């Protein structure tokens, strides 16, 4: 949902090439650092004494630090979007760049408005990019747990990975942990196969 508008904005022919290059580099720049460092950086940004709270207090929007920014679903969601947005957005961007402009012009000539053109022409023709982005990001996100541990406060069990980790290493319930891991594997495989078939 977030990756497609970002890719669409980036692929717009109205954007100059240097702007696209700069935005792409800004998106990929954090990947020059380690995975754990990128997660812990969000504690500095969203923490009670973090950059975001300091800015909000400086401009006068809040008098006290907002505790809701960290150790909750919001911070985990922000981190997941930040970490995996390029994996989703860039395959879609490639599909949009390869899109034949003549198809869009033909749709307009036949009386389709911009919304109908997007839904009936642009979206179906860029579905391979959506598929690749989904196949890259979905399996990783479903098994991830470190984001919820670091930014969710440790006790926040938001992710499938956190449940599996607790079953193995906290409860020492290896049969249930194995069963839950198998269920997760089946969900991921089923979702991937279903999406591939729908795109075909």
């Amino acid at each position: 949902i977030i990756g497609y508008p970002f890719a669409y904005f980036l692929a717009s022919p109205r954007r100059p090439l240097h702007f696209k290059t700069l935005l792409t580099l800004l998106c990929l720049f954090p990947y020059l650092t380690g995975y754990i460092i990128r997660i812990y950086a969000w504690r500095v940004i969203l923490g009670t004494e973090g950059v975001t709270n300091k800015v909000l207090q400086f401009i006068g929007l809040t008098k006290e630090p907002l505790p809701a920014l960290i150790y909750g679903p919001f911070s985990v969601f922000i981190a997941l979007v930040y970490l995996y947005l390029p994996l989703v957005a860039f395959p879609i961007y490639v599909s949009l760049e390869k899109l034949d402009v003549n198809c869009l012009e033909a749709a307009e000539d036949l009386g389709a408005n911009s919304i109908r053109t997007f839904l009936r022409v642009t979206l179906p023709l860029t579905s391979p990019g959506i598929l690749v982005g989904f196949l890259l990001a979905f399996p990783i996100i479903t098994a991830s747990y470190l984001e919820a541990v670091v930014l969710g406060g440790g006790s926040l069990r938001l992710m499938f990975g956190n449940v599996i980790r607790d079953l193995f290493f906290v409860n020492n319930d290896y049969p249930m942990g194995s069963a839950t891991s198998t269920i997760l594997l089946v969900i991921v495989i089923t979702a991937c196969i279903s999406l591939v078939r729908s795109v075909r």
Side-chain angles (χ1 to χ4, degrees):
I1 292 172
I2 297 173
Y4 200 101
F6 177 79
Y8 195 85
F9 173 81
L10 190 61
S12 173
R14 298 176 183 176
R15 312 276 175 250
L17 182 60
H18 66 272
F19 176 79
K20 292 182 180 182
T21 306
L22 177 63
L23 198 58
T24 303
L25 289 174
L26 287 175
C27 238
L28 295 175
F29 184 75
Y31 281 79
L32 297 175
T33 61
Y35 170 71
I36 296 176
I37 293 173
R38 295 199 302 271
I39 296 175
Y40 272 94
W42 281 104
R43 290 183 69 170
V44 176
I45 296 170
L46 298 175
T48 308
E49 298 296 324
V51 177
T52 305
N53 272 313
K54 293 291 184 184
V55 170
L56 291 174
Q57 289 176 293
F58 178 76
I59 61 178
L61 289 179
T62 58
K63 293 182 179 179
E64 297 179 355
L66 296 175
L69 292 179
I70 193 72
Y71 302 135
F74 173 77
S75 57
V76 176
F77 173 76
I78 291 293
L80 288 172
V81 170
Y82 162 77
L83 289 168
Y84 301 110
L85 180 64
L87 291 180
V88 178
F90 287 117
I92 299 172
Y93 169 72
V94 172
S95 293
L96 287 166
E97 282 289 316
K98 292 182 178 179
L99 188 64
D100 190 358
V101 181
N102 294 325
C103 295
L104 305 178
E105 293 175 352
E108 291 177 5
D109 291 341
L110 293 170
N113 57 23
S114 57
I115 297 174
R116 191 175 178 86
T117 301
F118 175 78
L119 293 175
R120 299 294 296 275
V121 180
T122 306
L123 195 60
L125 289 177
T126 55
S127 58
I130 299 172
L131 172 64
V132 172
F134 178 86
L135 293 177
L136 287 173
F138 180 69
I140 301 173
I141 290 176
T142 50
S144 63
Y145 70 93
L146 195 60
E147 295 86 354
V149 170
V150 175
L151 299 171
S155 61
L156 194 62
R157 299 176 73 180
L158 287 174
M159 312 294 289
F160 233 126
N162 295 93
V163 176
I164 294 170
R165 185 207 59 175
D166 290 348
L167 287 171
F168 277 111
F169 301 113
V170 177
N171 301 336
N172 290 320
D173 191 349
Y174 288 88
M176 182 61 76
S178 302
T180 309
S181 302
T182 305
I183 291 170
L184 175 62
L185 182 63
V186 170
I187 290 173
V188 170
I189 292 173
T190 304
C192 291
I193 291 173
S194 301
L195 188 62
V196 169
R197 287 184 175 179
S198 68
V199 169
R200 283 178 180 173

